[in-house]
Amino acid sequence: MPVRPDVDAPADSVLCADDGTPLARMRLHDDDGQRVAADVRPWPGVAPSAVAAQARHDLAGLRLETPDDGLVGALVAGGLELRRAATELRHDLTGLPMPPTLPTGWTLAAPGWDDDLARACDAAYGPDHPDGRWQADDTRQIRAMFDSDDPVPPLRTASARVLGPDGRSAGHVLCAGPVPWTDDVCGWILNIAVAPHAQGNGLGRALLVHALHGTRGAGLPALGLSVADRNPARRLYDDTGFRTHRRVLSVLLPGSTEHPVPS
């Protein structure tokens, strides 16, 4: 069987060669309808090229996520595209910075979603943003979280909007937790954004510090996030005490497999 459960770690799976030789460990899960082979790590002594070839055959159609540069190099050499290069960060919620004083007229408000916030996020994620433009699907997913807790409910104690002197939303931080896609128990920052016209006022730091305190208040042991390479916000995360957890390199494997990959 090309993909089988890992007897030593029941939550993991093993990608095998056609003769049953183990090639890589991984975790299989769904991400809003997209099947994902996460944290793919070649077996000791196995060439990344062998893992890449078997993955293209037996994990076709899945998004492959790995910290292994050699595996990504083999996939890219075979004509595939590196879709995202990012670093997962964690904060252990100790030594938290004090909430900063907001500029006159600016306030933090209860989390939620409105048209002003949609416009703020659309403006914040411009064409040169490392994660690309804001999409209608991003808005749909956030609305679903608040309307039906789908796919996860918001962690309201750690989430907030920032309101300008005119009382309109100019940014937010949206957290969930604990989340099912991590290998540790933690809260997760799904999105943090401040509209360009409101940047430079310390609002991003205020939202981030709110998320840290709110996650600790919810009784969770850590707060995590994923930051894409070249995102200037990385400096803020480092400055507030986040530390590297692991690298995540993502490649979409083309095609479809004749044999469904087990859940």
Side-chain angles (χ1 to χ4, degrees):
M1 186 175 184
V3 178
R4 62 171 174 80
D6 187 342
V7 295
D8 297 320
D12 294 347
S13 298
V14 178
L15 176 68
C16 298
D18 292 340
D19 63 2
T21 302
L23 299 178
R25 282 193 171 93
M26 59 190 175
R27 287 181 293 108
L28 297 171
H29 69 91
D30 285 297
D31 180 12
D32 196 34
Q34 169 69 63
R35 288 288 282 160
V36 179
D39 200 26
V40 181
R41 297 175 183 265
W43 211 270
V46 173
S49 57
V51 179
Q54 198 73 35
R56 293 191 63 158
H57 182 269
D58 292 320
L59 303 178
L62 274 67
R63 186 174 78 233
L64 183 148
E65 298 178 348
T66 179
D68 193 278
D69 290 306
L71 174 55
V72 168
L75 290 168
V76 170
L80 302 188
E81 178 185 357
L82 175 62
R83 292 172 59 91
R84 189 171 191 262
T87 302
E88 282 192 9
L89 306 176
R90 294 289 190 279
H91 198 298
D92 64 7
L93 304 180
T94 60
L96 297 185
M98 293 294 295
T101 301
L102 294 178
T104 301
W106 293 89
T107 58
L108 293 186
W113 190 255
D114 57 38
D115 290 340
D116 290 326
L117 189 50
R119 284 189 286 270
C121 288
D122 182 64
Y125 285 84
D128 296 327
H129 194 280
D131 281 320
R133 290 303 304 261
W134 189 260
Q135 303 291 331
D137 200 46
D138 298 317
T139 293
R140 179 192 63 77
Q141 291 180 26
I142 293 177
R143 286 193 183 277
M145 287 181 63
F146 284 106
D147 291 344
S148 58
D149 292 347
D150 178 42
V152 291
L155 183 61
R156 293 179 181 271
T157 58
S159 304
R161 290 175 297 139
V162 61
L163 307 182
D166 57 2
R168 301 172 70 171
S169 301
H172 78 152
V173 60
L174 176 62
C175 300
V179 292
W181 55 79
T182 60
D183 57 3
D184 55 342
V185 177
C186 66
W188 195 264
I189 296 179
L190 296 167
N191 184 238
I192 182 168
V194 176
H197 77 270
Q199 293 175 10
N201 292 300
L203 303 176
R205 177 179 291 274
L207 289 166
L208 185 59
V209 172
H210 174 86
L212 290 167
H213 283 271
T215 301
R216 186 170 69 178
L220 293 170
L223 179 62
L225 60 86
S226 175
V227 57
D229 289 3
R230 301 184 295 104
N231 189 336
R234 175 64 189 268
R235 294 192 298 270
L236 174 59
Y237 303 142
D238 291 339
D239 187 54
T240 49
F242 282 86
R243 297 293 178 260
T244 297
H245 182 65
R246 66 182 172 194
R247 288 281 287 159
V248 181
L249 308 171
S250 301
V251 177
L252 183 61
L253 302 175
S256 59
T257 179
E258 297 178 3
H259 306 287
V261 178
S263 301

